[in-house]
Amino acid sequence: MEKNKKAIAVLSGGLDSVVASSVYVKDYDIHAITFDYGQKSVKYEIKASKRVCETLGFKHTIIDLPWLSKLGNSALTCEEELPLIDPDDLDNKSVCDNSASKVWVPGRNIVFTAIATSFAEDEGASIIIVGWDKEEAATFPDNSKEFLESFNQVLDIGSTVNVEIKAPAIDLDKKEIVKLGYTVNAPMELSYSCYRGNKQHCGICESCLRRKRAFKTAGINDPTDYLE
């Protein structure tokens, strides 16, 4: 039976967005949107997103943004080498700021959330679900609580419908996200986090390192198949 409340989920197929979407699966009819902006990992992000949507019963739409890959010089979307950091430096802000600057995609979350707003207005959705979290916010300002609050203020003024962005992991680090995912039975085993875009998680990019650490420190079995 169709649920009364509708939601739009920005679903990359990664750990954060999969857990965030799973929080609302019981109460909302969710339409997930996944973006292809020329990222190295797009093939497996889309594959993961499709599997998550099939498992959770979401409608799924893939949106192509070919122009976004041509802006900036992100190592996620061009031939630049992806930055590598030592696992011991995951909490070193200087090192991580430098790494983040090399994978930054100009305006990415602003664009994604604006498009999600269009879908929400069209479909009468009352919330937009995103995977923004405290650990990512340390180096990516478009994951921060301030960004969330500001964007919701923009929607209050600029949208003709009553829609709110929900980020259930906004105050959580990756370890806490894994614990939340376990609690809400999120299909974390289907998620894909690697920057490199191989079938298996590389195990050495910063995203993989954070994923590894999260499962280990949460004390929850890591279902991920890593190359290293």
Side-chain angles (χ1 to χ4, degrees):
M1 185 173 67
E2 187 174 341
K3 303 179 178 86
N4 291 324
K5 297 185 290 185
K6 295 182 178 181
I8 304 298
V10 179
L11 183 70
S12 70
L15 180 66
D16 305 332
S17 63
V18 170
V19 171
S21 299
S22 297
V23 169
Y24 297 97
V25 70
K26 291 182 179 179
D27 297 319
Y28 287 84
D29 180 14
I30 298 175
H31 179 182
I33 55 177
T34 302
F35 294 95
D36 177 353
Y37 55 98
Q39 66 272 39
K40 289 181 171 77
S41 56
V42 64
K43 176 181 177 181
Y44 291 103
E45 286 184 12
I46 290 174
K47 183 177 180 179
S49 297
K50 284 183 176 178
R51 292 175 66 191
V52 168
C53 288
E54 288 169 359
T55 299
L56 297 179
F58 297 168
K59 178 181 177 182
H60 188 219
T61 298
I62 299 164
I63 299 175
D64 295 328
L65 300 174
W67 53 269
L68 189 52
S69 66
K70 299 174 183 177
L71 302 182
N73 195 35
S74 174
L76 298 184
T77 58
C78 70
E79 297 303 317
E80 292 291 323
E81 285 292 321
L82 286 161
L84 295 178
I85 68 172
D86 190 280
D88 293 335
D89 284 329
L90 285 175
D91 295 317
N92 185 319
K93 186 162 181 6
S94 177
V95 171
C96 293
D97 280 346
N98 181 59
S99 176
S101 71
K102 294 178 180 178
V103 298
W104 177 260
V105 178
R108 180 174 57 178
N109 278 349
I110 295 174
V111 172
F112 291 177
T113 313
I115 292 173
T117 301
S118 295
F119 276 81
E121 288 190 359
D122 179 64
E123 298 179 17
S126 55
I127 65 169
I128 296 166
I129 306 164
V130 296
W132 308 341
D133 65 88
K134 183 173 70 175
E135 187 164 325
E136 296 287 343
T139 48
F140 294 103
D142 60 356
N143 271 256
S144 67
K145 196 166 189 176
E146 293 78 9
F147 183 73
L148 170 66
E149 292 170 348
S150 297
F151 215 116
N152 272 326
Q153 288 176 358
V154 169
L155 294 183
D156 284 341
I157 299 168
S159 178
T160 59
V161 301
N162 185 18
V163 60
E164 181 182 6
I165 304 166
K166 294 286 192 179
I170 199 69
D171 292 317
L172 307 182
D173 59 24
K174 299 282 185 179
K175 174 186 70 177
E176 294 166 325
I177 290 170
V178 168
K179 288 183 176 181
L180 175 61
Y182 182 80
T183 300
V184 299
N185 294 315
M188 294 185 288
E189 72 281 0
L190 302 181
S191 64
Y192 184 88
S193 302
C194 185
Y195 283 159
R196 292 184 177 274
N198 298 314
K199 183 176 181 180
Q200 292 174 273
H201 284 70
C202 73
I204 59 173
C205 71
E206 184 175 346
S207 187
C208 280
L209 292 179
R210 292 188 183 280
R211 182 184 177 101
K212 276 183 175 180
R213 183 177 72 168
F215 278 101
K216 182 177 181 180
T217 55
I220 293 172
N221 179 59
D222 187 349
T224 315
D225 185 15
Y226 298 103
L227 282 170
E228 296 186 41

